[in-house]
Amino acid sequence: MLPYALPILFLFQLATLLGLLMHRSGTLEQAAYAWPALAVWVAAGALAAAAVVVARLLALRTYRRRR
């Protein structure tokens, strides 16, 4: 499930990565104001990845209880 952590990590490090690209420091709110579509896509990807991780953990827990 480690690959599903990458979109979540990307969301939390988006401001830092954009700061490296633009040679400035900023916040996630500033990045969302400058590129709203990018912020929405990254947030949606992180939310989807988190949903997959939670669903798989719940399925694993119910599978182990049945055995």
Side-chain angles (χ1 to χ4, degrees), residues 21-64:
L21 268 160
M22 303 299 289
H23 303 290
R24 308 178 165 201
S25 62
T27 63
L28 186 59
E29 291 83 19
Q30 289 172 336
Y33 181 76
W35 295 291
L38 176 65
V40 168
W41 277 101
V42 170
L47 182 64
V52 168
V53 169
V54 168
R56 287 187 178 191
L57 288 175
L58 289 174
L60 182 64
R61 190 180 76 179
T62 58
Y63 175 75
R64 286 191 179 176

Side-chain angles (χ1 to χ4, degrees), residues 4-20 26-29 31-32 38-39 41-50:
Y4 293 108
L6 291 177
I8 299 167
L9 180 67
F10 185 64
L11 174 66
F12 287 116
Q13 295 300 319
L14 182 63
T16 305
L17 293 172
L18 291 176
L20 288 174
T27 63
L28 186 59
E29 291 83 19
L38 176 65
W41 277 101
V42 170
L47 182 64

